[in-house]
Amino acid sequence: MTDVSGLSVGILGGTGDQGKGLARRFALAGHPVVIGSRNAQRAQDAADSIGSGTRGAENHVVATETDIVIVAVPYEGHKALLESLRTELAGKIVVDCVNPLGFDKQGAYALKVEAGSAAQEAEQVLPDSRVVAAFHHVSAVTLLDPEVDKIDLDVLVLGDDREATDLVQALAAVIPGVRGIYGGRLRNAHQVEALTANIIAVNRRYKAHAGIRITDV
């Protein structure tokens, strides 16, 4: 397993529940974590709500100062944010967990993305970064729940850079109960992002916080 000890983690969009949940779990695992926002005070407020040594900063500071950056922003702001941070993110592993979803009376559904997926869009916008897709199906409620010590979940990790996907798999595994499972090339990220709509439907029907497990691995 790749050694990720001491790796600092930045969360762009860390003031939302998904970002805060991931930040909390990585901080509990001993990683230095910085939450990003357009507003430094809002980022610090989110960090203070998590504790465990987490700090907040503006997005460009997070992108510059951390070793690996997770993108957890709403899809509507995804492309513009990454375009604004292209220089700061050059050479870094960028983990995209954005799910392009729409919602109507029938529930959640996958949006069409011109690039194929949010992760592929990130790859186009960040040609000098190592883009990996992961953490799409982790329940924010579960991540933030102080009563949950172990999360029964596999995280699908997709990308074209073997070293980068190995690292993200190892990072996922620092969360107790979680495994990082290689899920293919980045071109296959669309169906992983879209599957989130199905999981939302499961959660609504069964009043659950469902995840996925891969068998026989």
Side-chain angles (χ1 to χ4, degrees), residues 2 4 7 68 91-95 129-134 157-171 182:
T2 301
V4 294
L7 199 70
I68 184 168
K92 292 183 183 276
I93 294 176
V94 177
V95 184
S129 300
R130 303 157 73 189
V131 176
V132 175
V157 179
L158 297 90
D160 300 324
D161 182 315
R162 177 65 180 268
E163 184 182 31
T165 56
D166 284 352
L167 187 147
V168 176
Q169 286 177 250
L171 184 65
Y182 175 69

Side-chain angles (χ1 to χ4, degrees), residues 1 7 10 15 26 31 43 69-70 94 109 111 116 124 148 160 163 169 178 182 193 205 209:
M1 181 69 74
L7 199 70
T15 58
F26 291 132
H31 290 272
V69 178
I70 297 175
V94 177
Y109 61 94
L111 298 175
Q124 288 182 1
V148 176
D160 300 324
E163 184 182 31
Q169 286 177 250
V178 174
Y182 175 69
E193 295 171 5
R205 173 64 64 91
H209 303 296

Side-chain angles (χ1 to χ4, degrees), residues 59-60 79-89 125-126:
N59 286 322
H60 71 91
K79 186 176 183 179
L81 174 63
L82 295 183
E83 286 175 338
S84 73
L85 298 173
R86 183 182 288 119
T87 299
E88 291 88 342
L89 293 172
V125 172
L126 304 172

Side-chain angles (χ1 to χ4, degrees), residues 115-188:
S117 64
Q120 288 170 289
E121 183 175 83
E123 184 179 48
Q124 288 182 1
V125 172
L126 304 172
D128 297 320
S129 300
R130 303 157 73 189
V131 176
V132 175
F135 299 111
H136 299 89
H137 308 139
V138 191
S139 165
V141 173
T142 301
L143 288 170
L144 289 167
D145 190 341
E147 300 299 317
V148 176
D149 296 323
K150 186 177 180 181
I151 299 176
D152 184 21
L153 180 76
D154 286 337
V155 168
L156 289 174
V157 179
L158 297 90
D160 300 324
D161 182 315
R162 177 65 180 268
E163 184 182 31
T165 56
D166 284 352
L167 187 147
V168 176
Q169 286 177 250
L171 184 65
V174 305
I175 302 173
V178 174
R179 296 190 305 172
I181 300 291
Y182 175 69
R185 298 279 188 168
L186 204 67
R187 68 182 183 182
N188 291 319

